[in-house]
Amino acid sequence: VQLQASGGGLVQAGGSLRLSCVASGFTFSNYALAWYRQAPGEQRELIAGITSGDLSHYKDFVKGRFFVSRDNAKNTVYLQMNSLKPEDTAVYYCTKGHYRGSYYYRDNYWGQGTLVTVSS
């Protein structure tokens, strides 16, 4: 299994970034995909996910600003991040798993993350 996130960088507050995560080693279309982030000194937290049936879920603190999508033909999941804030600064990771209702069960694998830095 491989999950390779990319697209991070330095952006000013109010700006946008789109993260991508290319997956391999499993049947992509059968799985939910979710994005986590880890800010300096903080624990990793779930921020958004998308089911195998294209239903998206968001934590309240990103709802309306971040949008998750997937392209099964490209084995890729995306995270469009708008209206970025300095507190969005973190390393962002994509994961695979399953949803039961609105609860995400993450498989025990962490791929390489991508760093997003939002300057004020």
Side-chain angles (χ1 to χ4, degrees):
V1 172
Q2 286 195 348
L3 293 162
Q4 180 66 55
S6 63
L10 175 63
V11 63
Q12 287 188 333
S16 298
L17 279 176
R18 189 176 82 152
L19 306 184
S20 300
C21 176
V22 179
S24 61
F26 61 98
T27 306
F28 184 83
S29 59
N30 288 353
Y31 285 84
L33 285 300
W35 289 92
Y36 284 71
R37 71 185 183 187
Q38 187 169 20
E42 303 289 334
Q43 291 188 340
R44 267 175 218 187
E45 59 181 355
L46 174 65
I47 55 174
I50 186 165
T51 69
S52 58
D54 249 2
L55 180 64
S56 54
H57 298 266
Y58 301 95
K59 292 299 187 181
D60 286 346
F61 52 86
V62 300
K63 200 172 289 184
R65 298 191 299 126
F66 290 12
F67 300 93
V68 60
S69 61
R70 63 190 296 162
D71 185 338
N72 289 343
K74 296 182 178 180
N75 280 12
T76 302
V77 60
Y78 303 98
L79 184 68
Q80 177 67 41
M81 305 187 295
N82 302 325
S83 303
L84 283 162
K85 306 174 182 180
E87 52 263 43
D88 294 318
T89 294
V91 178
Y92 285 71
Y93 302 86
C94 65
T95 66
K96 72 178 187 68
H98 293 88
Y99 271 94
R100 295 292 183 267
S102 61
Y103 194 86
Y104 179 65
Y105 292 86
R106 180 182 56 80
D107 288 352
N108 190 24
Y109 175 81
W110 291 103
Q112 184 174 346
T114 186
L115 175 63
V116 173
T117 303
V118 185
S119 63
S120 57

